[in-house]
Amino acid sequence: MTMSTELFFIYDTHCPWSFATTSLVKEIADAYPNITLNLWHSAHYEGDEKVSRKTIDAVEDDANIEFSHEYVKTLNVEKDSTLSANLIGWVSQKVPHLTLELIEAIQKQHFEQGTAFTHESDFQPIIDELKLSPPAKVFKEGKIAKEAEFVLQEIYDFQEYIGTKAIPALLIAHNENLTLLNHNLYLQNPSAIIEAVELELAKN
């Protein structure tokens, strides 16, 4: 694998399908430590949309996971991932090697403990653990920070190019070729995606 290989992951921390797909990103990152990771938070949830029980049931069936009782209790509350997008956008610029770890930590706390991540205090345990020092602007409630805005523009341009706005989206770029990986095929066996990636890399 050359340095011209990149992985693109368009997701939302509060999206159950994205949560399930992050394990695939982790598998690829571990197998290919030199791959360039583009981890783009879409800020899809803006406080005006709930996650349905139907979605949760589908993710549990397809990914062979079980959501916690604490999380399921929050299904009647509109989700807002704005502050998560802000923090991840800032980290991806300042300390990019911690981005995937931060995504995993937020998702774990959100989907296991039901943390909303709508206030700065919700992030404090993770900030302390990762030894981060984000600026106050990251936590302005309901306001997208400039780092997250930059990512959103990247996503808009990219989605226009690939012809889909669906999230999560997982793509691999190698040399001049860009391939959309069908993440649904690997949710029950995340390690199997490595073979799919190897096949794509062997094509060019």
Side-chain angles (χ1 to χ4, degrees):
M1 187 189 73
T2 68
M3 289 301 288
S4 60
T5 304
E6 298 184 58
L7 184 71
F8 294 86
F9 181 39
I10 303 175
Y11 68 97
D12 188 298
T13 46
H14 291 41
C15 164
W17 287 111
S18 296
F19 173 53
T21 306
T22 299
S23 61
L24 305 182
V25 177
K26 178 66 171 171
E27 288 284 346
I28 296 170
D30 288 346
Y32 299 101
N34 292 324
I35 199 169
T36 299
L37 298 176
N38 301 283
L39 307 172
W40 291 347
H41 196 306
S42 68
H44 171 80
Y45 289 98
E46 300 177 307
D48 58 359
E49 183 180 347
K50 300 176 183 178
V51 172
S52 70
R53 180 74 231 197
K54 182 179 179 181
T55 296
I56 293 301
D57 290 342
V59 176
E60 288 185 331
D61 288 343
D62 287 5
N64 197 28
I65 60 177
E66 185 175 345
F67 290 97
S68 71
H69 178 64
E70 286 74 15
Y71 173 71
V72 172
K73 285 193 301 185
T74 73
L75 293 183
N76 63 337
V77 178
E78 288 82 1
K79 309 304 177 204
D80 189 341
S81 63
T82 303
L83 298 189
S84 295
N86 287 351
L87 180 59
I88 292 169
W90 178 82
V91 166
S92 66
Q93 286 196 12
K94 302 299 183 182
V95 277
H97 66 283
L98 291 178
T99 307
L100 182 54
E101 189 175 352
L102 173 60
I103 293 167
E104 290 181 298
I106 290 174
Q107 289 178 325
K108 180 179 174 64
Q109 190 172 323
H110 179 66
F111 289 103
E112 290 186 5
Q113 301 176 28
T115 305
F117 288 108
T118 51
H119 299 90
E120 181 176 359
S121 58
D122 292 341
F123 295 88
Q124 202 58 53
I126 295 173
I127 290 171
D128 293 343
E129 182 180 348
L130 297 181
K131 297 179 172 60
L132 302 174
S133 301
K137 63 179 181 179
V138 166
F139 300 112
K140 283 189 177 179
E141 293 175 28
K143 185 173 178 61
I144 288 283
K146 67 175 183 179
E147 292 87 355
E149 281 279 12
F150 174 78
V151 171
L152 291 180
Q153 187 57 56
E154 294 273 24
I155 291 174
Y156 296 149
D157 294 343
F158 203 74
Q159 287 176 332
E160 190 170 315
Y161 177 73
I162 64 177
T164 178
K165 294 185 177 181
I167 62 164
L170 194 60
L171 304 98
I172 189 139
H174 185 59
N175 297 330
E176 299 299 317
N177 297 295
L178 180 67
T179 304
L180 182 65
L181 299 171
N182 188 350
H183 57 276
N184 289 322
L185 297 176
Y186 312 103
L187 292 178
Q188 292 206 16
N189 184 17
S191 61
I193 199 169
I194 300 306
E195 184 177 349
V197 172
E198 289 174 351
L199 287 173
E200 291 303 323
L201 299 183
K203 289 179 182 178
N204 46 83

